[in-house]
Structure formats: structure tokens, C-alpha cells
Amino acid sequence: MERINITRDLALSRLIYGMWRVLDDSDTSPERIRNKLDACLDQGITTIDQAAIYGGYQAESALGDALEGTHLRDKIEIVTKCGIVAPSARHSGVRVPHYDSSRAHILESVDYSLMAMRTDYIDLLLIHRPDPFMNHDETGATLDALVFSGKVRAVGVSNFKPHDWSLLQSAMRTPLSTNQIELSVVAHHGFTNGDVAFHQMNDTPIMAWSPLAGGALFGDDPATARLRQAISKFAVRTGFDSGAVAIAWLLAHPAKIMPIMGSNQISRIKSFSQAFDVPMDREAWFDIYTSALGHPVP
Ligand code: NAP
């Protein structure tokens, strides 16, 4: 599997496995989670995406339980996020869901994530959402200090617009290494609104969350009927399934997009890397893109 260098010392697998839905599975046992990790590792998918808030602040512990007593931690890179505070057992005094990019919150969240995942370092820490109340000097200095301490190997952001990125980066010595944004054949606006262009210009690889539109691509929503038909026609013609085609559409783009896959089904996980074999030239890319737009290019 291709690997992408997000810093001089840290490379991630081009496809990433996301654990947002891990506790939605009918089987959430450590053994089942290890089976999913093994299915990823067999294909060279070594990067696992987590967040403090996933699974009601329980998903990191589920991963930690699966890693316990194994050598799996040395074979994977863990991405996790901080900054969303919601009323929960974890944040019992909290009344109003909010974002928190303060030093106190980031440091507490990182220590909790390390404890939950039974590890002494996080490969990549992301600020989960832009915080409209952010003190960029405080947040930037905290991220720098975390990298300096070795608790975190690299830092980045998620759902940031270019101006949010520039504000935070202006107060940091460590380069921000990635932005995790929603990007798919359905959520394609990033390709024209400046989000992707900004990262292409800065040569910062993008992670694409919900690259299959969270499964909506396979539903019966009339709004995406034409797109589904174009993808499925292309899939039949090339001998792949529609999911692989939708991922190939992201992989083909020159911005070094890293799709984060979210399936809980082992059979689907085992076939993630088929997307690399789908032939996707410029015309095929535009055929799918214009089906998503609903009209040909002017
Ligand atoms: P996704 O791959 O777009 O969607 C996964 C969903 O699609 C699952 O429910 C899966 O069901 C379903 N699916 C996949 N293939 C299918 C098929 N052929 N037919 C029918 N359904 C199918 O990704 P996602 O789970 O929404 O997001 C992926 C990761 O992105 C998350 O785990 C998380 O790490 C990250 N994320 C980040 C943010 C952020 O704000 N940074 C937000 C959302 C997500 P099965 O399980 O049954 O296969």
C-alpha cells in the first residue's frame, strides 16, 4: 500500500481505517476489533482514525482493549482528535455542547486518550472542529508543546477552512500536517470552494472523511440517483463494485487524498484496497463529477 509522508518522520497508509462507528457493530468485543485491524493490516492499512468523542467517548477504550496484550500497537499509527465537549458520563458537569481548544482541555484530553488506548504516544493529534472561541496563541503553543514532549508525533486539524488553518499555523512552530475534511462523490464541494486547492498549494495531504457519504451512496435518495447510476455503470464496465469506484475517484485526484474507510463488515474491509486497481482517467473522473453536479461542465 502506498504511504504518504505527513511529516519528515511520519508516514501514514494511503487508506485509513476509521473507528467512529466501531461501537455501532453488533459485536464490539476486543477479538472482533482485532479481526478488523488484522483485515486492515493484511492490505497494508496501518493508520487508524479515532477521536475522543467517538462512541460516546468510549471508542478509544474499545481500541485500547483490543490492543492490550498484543504487539499491534507497534504495527499501527493512531490518529485521534480532541476539542468536542458534550454532556456525557465523561464530561458530567457539562450542560452545553461546545468546542474547547484551550490548553487545559487539550492536555487533559490527550492524557485521557493515551490512558484509554493504553499507549504512551499518539502518532497524530487533530483539533476536531474549528473553535470560534479559539485563542490561537494558546492552542498553537499547546500543540507545539505536545510535539516537543513526545506525547504526540504530529499535529493537524479537522473540518478547518483555509483561514482557520492559517490563523492557527501563524501561532505555531510545528507545521500542521493534515486537514481531515468531508470529501466524496456526494460531498464534492471542497474541490471547487478552495478547501482542496489550499492544501494542494501547501502540499499538505488531506484526509477524506465519509468517503462513501456514510453509506448514503448506496441508499435510494432521489437526489443522488443519477450519480449512483453513473458509478454503477462504470463499476459494471470495469468489473469493480460501486464503493471501490467512489474511493478510486478520490484516490485519482492529484491532492494526495487519504480516504478514511468506515465499514464494520470484515468482508468489506478485506476488499478496501481494490480501489487502487480501478482505472480512473480524466474522462471517467468528469463523468462521475458531472453526474454529481447534475449537469455537464459549461
Ligand atoms: P463511509 O465509508 O463513507 O461510510 C461507512 C458506512 O457506509 C457504514 O455504515 C457502512 O456500513 C456503509 N457502507 C459501506 N459500504 C457499503 C455498501 N457497499 N453498501 C451499503 N452500505 C455501505 O465512512 P464513515 O464511517 O461515514 O466515516 C469514515 C471515518 O471518517 C469515521 O470512522 C471517522 O474516523 C471519520 N470521520 C471523521 C469526521 C470528522 O469530523 N473529522 C466525521 C465523520 C467521520 P457497513 O458497516 O455495514 O459496511
Side-chain angles (χ1 to χ4, degrees):
M1 162 106 21
E2 182 187 350
R3 296 183 69 77
I4 301 279
N5 272 89
I6 60 153
T7 70
R8 246 197 340 236
D9 309 319
L10 180 59
L12 305 182
S13 55
R14 182 78 191 267
L15 287 184
I16 295 172
Y17 183 58
M19 290 202 157
W20 176 32
R21 300 176 193 272
V22 68
L23 296 182
D24 298 343
D25 201 349
S26 52
D27 180 354
T28 59
S29 66
E31 191 187 5
R32 166 83 171 170
I33 295 172
R34 280 195 291 274
N35 288 340
K36 292 178 195 173
L37 294 175
D38 285 339
C40 288
L41 289 169
D42 286 347
Q43 301 161 81
I45 299 171
T46 59
T47 305
I48 306 300
D49 186 64
Q50 272 280 0
I53 195 176
Y54 287 173
Y57 300 95
Q58 301 293 318
E60 291 182 323
S61 300
L63 174 60
D65 291 345
L67 297 178
E68 181 90 30
T70 73
H71 296 293
L72 285 169
R73 176 64 187 100
D74 301 334
K75 299 181 179 172
I76 61 175
E77 301 85 36
I78 295 178
V79 181
T80 197
K81 315 182 193 78
C82 62
I84 305 183
V85 182
S88 56
R90 163 92 170 90
H91 296 291
S92 54
V94 168
R95 191 172 40 87
V96 178
H98 60 274
Y99 300 148
D100 193 343
S101 57
S102 68
R103 175 182 166 82
H105 174 75
I106 293 173
L107 295 183
E108 192 275 339
S109 185
V110 164
D111 283 343
Y112 193 90
S113 294
L114 291 170
M115 188 261 301
M117 295 189 284
R118 326 282 157 75
T119 183
D120 50 11
Y121 68 98
I122 289 163
D123 293 277
L124 173 60
L125 176 74
L126 309 180
I127 300 292
H128 204 148
R129 297 256 169 197
D131 170 10
F133 202 63
M134 176 172 74
N135 176 332
H136 64 297
D137 288 320
E138 180 178 337
T139 307
T142 305
L143 295 178
D144 278 340
L146 278 169
V147 174
F148 187 71
S149 74
K151 284 185 179 178
V152 162
R153 293 178 67 195
V155 287
V157 294
S158 178
N159 301 300
F160 271 41
K161 300 301 287 181
H163 51 258
D164 301 313
W165 171 289
S166 300
L167 174 65
L168 179 56
Q169 185 66 89
S170 73
M172 293 177 67
R173 286 189 300 179
T174 317
L176 290 169
S177 58
T178 189
N179 190 5
Q180 186 177 121
I181 60 175
E182 185 180 17
L183 212 53
S184 69
V185 288
V186 175
H188 53 76
H189 306 291
F191 288 108
T192 50
N193 69 6
D195 290 348
V196 171
F198 177 78
H199 291 290
Q200 268 186 279
M201 184 179 74
N202 288 312
D203 200 21
T204 38
I206 299 164
M207 295 181 180
W209 61 258
S210 293
L212 298 174
L217 190 58
F218 309 99
D220 51 10
D221 182 354
T224 56
R226 188 175 157 145
L227 172 63
R228 286 199 309 274
Q229 199 185 21
I231 291 181
S232 132
K233 257 171 65 185
F234 183 79
V236 169
R237 198 167 68 239
T238 52
F240 290 90
D241 66 46
S242 291
V245 170
I247 299 302
W249 188 80
L250 292 171
L251 293 172
H253 194 275
K256 298 187 199 158
I257 294 163
M258 296 183 278
I260 312 172
M261 314 299 293
S263 175
N264 270 321
Q265 295 196 28
I266 302 272
S267 58
R268 287 197 182 125
I269 296 173
K270 281 185 173 166
S271 59
F272 280 164
S273 51
Q274 283 181 7
F276 288 100
D277 299 325
V278 177
M280 182 69 61
D281 62 16
R282 184 177 287 271
E283 274 193 63
W285 198 91
F286 270 90
D287 189 25
I288 292 170
Y289 179 55
T290 51
S291 301
L293 288 178
H295 56 78
V297 290

